[in-house]
Amino acid sequence: MRKPAVTSIPIASVLAERWSPRALDASSSVSPDQVRALLEAARWAPSFGNTQPARYLVGVRGTPSFDAILATLNSGNRAWAHRAGLLLIGVMVTTNEKGPVPYAEYGLGLASENLVLQAVELGLVAHQMAGFSAAEVSAAFSLPEDAVPKVAIAVGAPGHPDVLEEEWRIEREKAERVRVPLAEFAFTDGWGKPAL
């Protein structure tokens, strides 16, 4: 299922095609080369002062790491994310040899967006989630104190919305994508004064 963004002017297709479905094809897998491409894309994201604070915990379906990540998701996310071919946890490293890493969360966000856009380029979909237990991730993967789990990401092949089973979930999957209009998004000459 495709849901390209409706934009006021054409944008790069990889951006227009990116969305966050929950309906994933459980019979499909994410290949080792695809996993490598996703992580390379994330690795080459910009970061403040080239501090590179992003790290990822990687779980391919059928491995103990996948099961460990899945177990840390809240029940609402587990209900659909078990169909993913790949589960990741985005972790920000908050210190380095110079001390605290500035803008570590922003750096992880940039890296994760690169990863998600690479998924689109590969014909996959990705869904980022806040609904997981950071404490459980830290314990399960023996994270050091300065490694903070911030986001879970499910990656896989798109599936039919009916796999979500519950009618409200299916309808949410099919719903139109919406964003605030540009007039409420970008300002000039003062807050609330549309730039476009």
Side-chain angles (χ1 to χ4, degrees):
M1 180 174 160
R2 291 181 58 237
K3 291 195 341 185
V6 177
T7 58
S8 63
I9 193 167
I11 62 173
S13 62
V14 71
L15 300 173
E17 293 290 336
R18 186 224 58 81
W19 70 294
S20 302
R22 292 173 178 85
L24 302 173
D25 181 355
S27 69
S28 184
S29 60
V30 178
S31 74
D33 282 348
Q34 289 172 321
V35 173
R36 181 175 294 275
L38 294 169
L39 295 171
E40 279 291 358
R43 188 169 75 100
W44 284 96
S47 62
F48 178 85
N50 199 29
T51 49
Q52 303 176 46
R55 300 293 186 274
Y56 291 90
L57 303 172
V58 180
V60 175
R61 189 174 58 234
T63 66
S65 288
F66 182 95
D67 295 339
I69 293 171
L70 185 65
T72 70
L73 302 182
N74 66 25
S75 60
N77 286 329
R78 278 196 314 273
W80 60 267
H82 65 92
R83 294 183 192 92
L86 176 68
L87 291 176
L88 304 117
I89 299 290
V91 177
M92 65 177 190
V93 176
T94 59
T95 62
N96 63 19
E97 63 281 353
K98 296 178 181 176
V101 174
Y103 305 108
E105 192 165 10
Y106 187 70
L108 175 60
L110 290 168
S112 295
E113 180 67 359
N114 271 21
L115 187 151
V116 166
L117 293 176
Q118 184 64 40
V120 174
E121 181 71 16
L122 295 170
L124 301 169
V125 291
H127 188 111
Q128 299 176 74
M129 302 167 273
F132 73 100
S133 170
E136 289 176 18
V137 168
S138 294
F141 289 89
S142 304
L143 300 189
E145 194 172 311
D146 68 343
V148 181
K150 294 301 288 185
V151 64
I153 306 171
V155 179
H160 194 279
D162 289 349
V163 301
L164 298 174
E165 297 175 349
E166 296 174 273
E167 193 58 37
W168 71 270
R169 290 182 192 273
I170 294 168
E171 289 307 312
R172 179 177 63 182
E173 193 80 355
K174 292 179 179 178
E176 182 182 346
R177 296 173 60 200
V178 294
R179 290 291 188 270
V180 298
L182 280 177
E184 297 174 20
F185 183 79
F187 307 126
T188 189
D189 297 329
W191 188 260
K193 297 181 180 180
L196 301 170

